[in-house]
């Protein structure tokens, strides 16, 4: 189809040029068509279009005088060679980019695995919005695992952005998945994660950078047979609980320092217990949600925006926040954001 249209253009231009007086020259327009084709198609199609254009130019050159067109013919050939070569290089780079993106997507899915829809008596729904273009994950994280008769969850936010943040997030998720089912007590798991993060971010060559690296996180345990949840707050935004069609903020009395800074406190993280009954929904989020700004600079008021919400399905709640958040900020976030909703079934 492309070659047919190109041939029609060249033949039409050739006929008009040959029928025109000698002082009227349309042959320079032959440069335009192959260059436009090169923008959308590969080197083969581009090269064939240049052959058509060069052939038509040679006919016009023979009919109107060789000597006055030799320089233009040389220029045409040089542009043709350069354009075709650039198409080849561009296509090679695009193929390499596609391969890199494929590998990156696999790696991203390996780090931030899709959550199961069901974990014991809990129904789960999650959303991740990465601020980086073409990325699926960043410095925010979440993970869920089963440990005998309970479900354990973590949500966190790594200080910083880019590959370093992704690396720290991947290390914490790996440590959580490996230890959550092995540590019987939540405080033991919290201590293990603190030690794991401190060893991960420790860099003798850059002690200042290590001191400034940390991860805010919320570690939660929900037993199957008790209407409660237990949590350890490592300096993370507090979760919300939807109960009887109303949201409440689960504020802790003594939050622990962010993971990686536990040595500053000198005391063990405190476990807080809250009611979590059948039909309740727990909403966890990172600060990318509540620190999102509208065009006027106002922060996203999550609790106020949920004031009229009455549905008790985790998936519907996540979808609602997703749409509302993007509409509030004008379609694009400046920071990573993660949302995790947990619904206790049974009512």
């Amino acid at each position: 189809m492309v070659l047919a249209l190109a041939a029609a253009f060249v033949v039409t231009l050739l006929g008009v040029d040959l029928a025109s007086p000698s002082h009227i020259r349309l042959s320079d327009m032959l440069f335009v068509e192959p260059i436009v084709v090169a923008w959308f198609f590969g080197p083969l199609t581009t090269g064939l279009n240049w052959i058509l254009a060069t052939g038509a130019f040679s006919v016009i050159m023979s009919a109107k005088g060789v000597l006055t067109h030799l320089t233009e013919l040389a220029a045409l050939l040089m542009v043709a060679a350069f354009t075709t070569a650039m198409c080849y290089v561009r296509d090679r780079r695009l193929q390499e980019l596609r391969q890199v993106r494929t590998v990156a997507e696999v790696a991203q899915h390996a780090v931030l695995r899709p959550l199961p829809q069901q974990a014991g008596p809990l129904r789960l729904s999650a959303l991740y919005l990465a601020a980086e273009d073409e990325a699926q994950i960043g410095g925010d994280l979440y993970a869920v695992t089963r440990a005998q008769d309970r479900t354990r969850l973590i949500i966190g936010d790594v200080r910083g952005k880019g590959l370093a943040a992704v690396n720290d997030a991947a290390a914490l998720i790996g440590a959580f998945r490996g230890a959550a089912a092995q540590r019987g007590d939540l405080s033991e798991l919290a201590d293990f994660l603190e030690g794991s993060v401190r060893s991960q971010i420790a860099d003798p060559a850059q002690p200042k950078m290590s001191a400034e690296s940390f991860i805010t996180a919320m570690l939660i345990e929900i037993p199957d047979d008790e209407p409660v949840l237990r949590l350890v707050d490592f300096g993370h935004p507090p979760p919300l609980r939807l109960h009887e069609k109303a949201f409440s903020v689960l504020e802790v009395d003594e939050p622990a320092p962010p993971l990686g800074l536990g040595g500053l406190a000198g005391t063990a993280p405190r476990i807080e217990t809250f009611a979590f009954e059948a039909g309740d929904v727990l909403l966890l989020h990172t600060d990318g949600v509540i620190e999102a700004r509208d065009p006027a600079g106002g922060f996203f008021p999550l609790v106020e925006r949920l004031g009229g919400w009455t549905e008790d399905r985790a998936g519907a709640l996540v979808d609602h926040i997703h749409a509302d958040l993007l509409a509030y900020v004008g379609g694009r976030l400046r920071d990573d954001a993660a949302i995790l909703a947990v619904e206790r079934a049974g009512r």
Side-chain angles (χ1 to χ4, degrees):
M1 183 63 178
V2 177
L3 290 177
L5 292 174
F9 173 81
V10 170
V11 170
T12 301
L13 187 63
L14 175 62
V16 174
D17 197 310
L18 291 176
S20 302
S22 59
H23 66 278
I24 298 177
R25 295 172 48 192
L26 304 176
S27 57
D28 291 344
M29 295 178 64
L30 291 168
F31 284 79
V32 177
E33 187 270 339
I35 293 176
V36 173
V37 169
W39 185 262
F40 298 99
F41 298 93
L44 178 60
T45 302
T46 300
L48 292 174
N49 274 269
W50 276 118
I51 292 174
L52 286 172
T54 304
F57 192 88
S58 300
V59 173
I60 296 173
M61 186 176 66
S62 300
K64 293 195 173 184
V66 175
L67 295 179
T68 61
H69 292 75
L70 282 177
T71 302
E72 295 179 18
L73 178 61
L76 183 64
L77 293 173
M78 291 177 63
V79 173
F82 176 78
T83 307
T84 305
M86 288 303 297
C87 283
Y88 175 77
V89 173
R90 179 199 63 196
D91 285 4
R92 287 290 301 272
R93 293 290 183 267
L94 289 175
Q95 183 179 3
E96 292 174 359
L97 180 60
R98 283 192 290 268
Q99 292 175 343
V100 170
R101 286 178 176 173
T102 299
V103 173
E105 288 176 2
V106 172
Q108 289 172 336
H109 281 297
V111 172
L112 199 66
R113 300 174 189 169
L115 296 183
Q117 295 182 350
Q118 188 91 20
L122 308 177
R123 299 189 184 98
L124 308 172
S125 183
L127 173 69
Y128 196 105
L129 298 172
E132 293 286 344
D133 291 337
E134 306 299 337
Q136 296 178 356
I137 62 171
D140 289 9
L141 62 100
Y142 52 73
V144 176
T145 187
R146 289 284 295 168
Q148 297 179 350
D149 58 349
R150 69 200 73 176
T151 301
R152 286 175 169 170
L153 313 92
I154 189 170
I155 188 168
D157 185 359
V158 179
R159 179 188 180 275
K161 298 181 180 180
L163 293 178
V166 174
N167 182 63
D168 290 343
L172 178 56
I173 290 176
F176 172 79
R177 288 172 178 161
Q182 306 298 325
R183 309 283 169 164
D185 187 79
L186 193 61
S187 61
E188 293 180 10
L189 178 59
D191 290 338
F192 174 81
L193 295 179
E194 167 64 26
S196 176
V197 171
R198 291 177 67 179
S199 64
Q200 169 68 22
I201 64 179
D203 187 352
Q206 294 181 305
K208 183 178 179 180
M209 292 295 294
S210 298
E212 296 175 352
S213 299
F214 57 83
I215 304 174
T216 66
M218 187 72 65
L219 180 63
I220 295 178
E221 177 181 276
I222 304 176
D224 293 349
D225 54 358
E226 297 180 64
V228 299
L229 63 84
R230 303 180 184 94
L231 65 81
V232 179
D233 182 358
F234 294 99
H236 198 74
L240 306 179
R241 177 198 176 204
L242 176 62
H243 174 71
E244 300 293 345
K245 311 301 182 181
F247 280 94
S248 59
V249 181
L250 304 186
E251 295 275 8
V252 301
D253 295 329
E254 298 180 16
L259 291 168
L261 302 179
L264 301 178
T267 58
R270 179 173 176 176
I271 300 175
E272 304 269 1
T273 302
F274 296 90
F276 189 55
E277 303 173 4
D280 289 357
V281 177
L282 180 68
L283 178 64
L284 306 166
H285 60 87
T286 59
D287 60 10
V289 175
I290 56 177
E291 293 181 0
R293 296 174 182 262
D294 63 10
F299 290 112
F300 182 70
L302 177 61
V303 178
E304 289 82 352
R305 305 282 285 198
L306 291 174
W309 183 259
T310 58
E311 190 169 347
D312 58 0
R313 291 191 302 112
L317 177 59
V318 170
D319 291 341
H320 170 74
I321 297 174
H322 182 198
D324 192 31
L325 180 61
L326 292 183
Y328 185 84
V329 301
R332 181 180 178 84
L333 293 176
R334 298 180 181 179
D335 193 9
D336 299 329
I339 303 170
L340 175 58
V342 184
E343 171 192 350
R344 185 187 281 276
R347 188 174 63 183

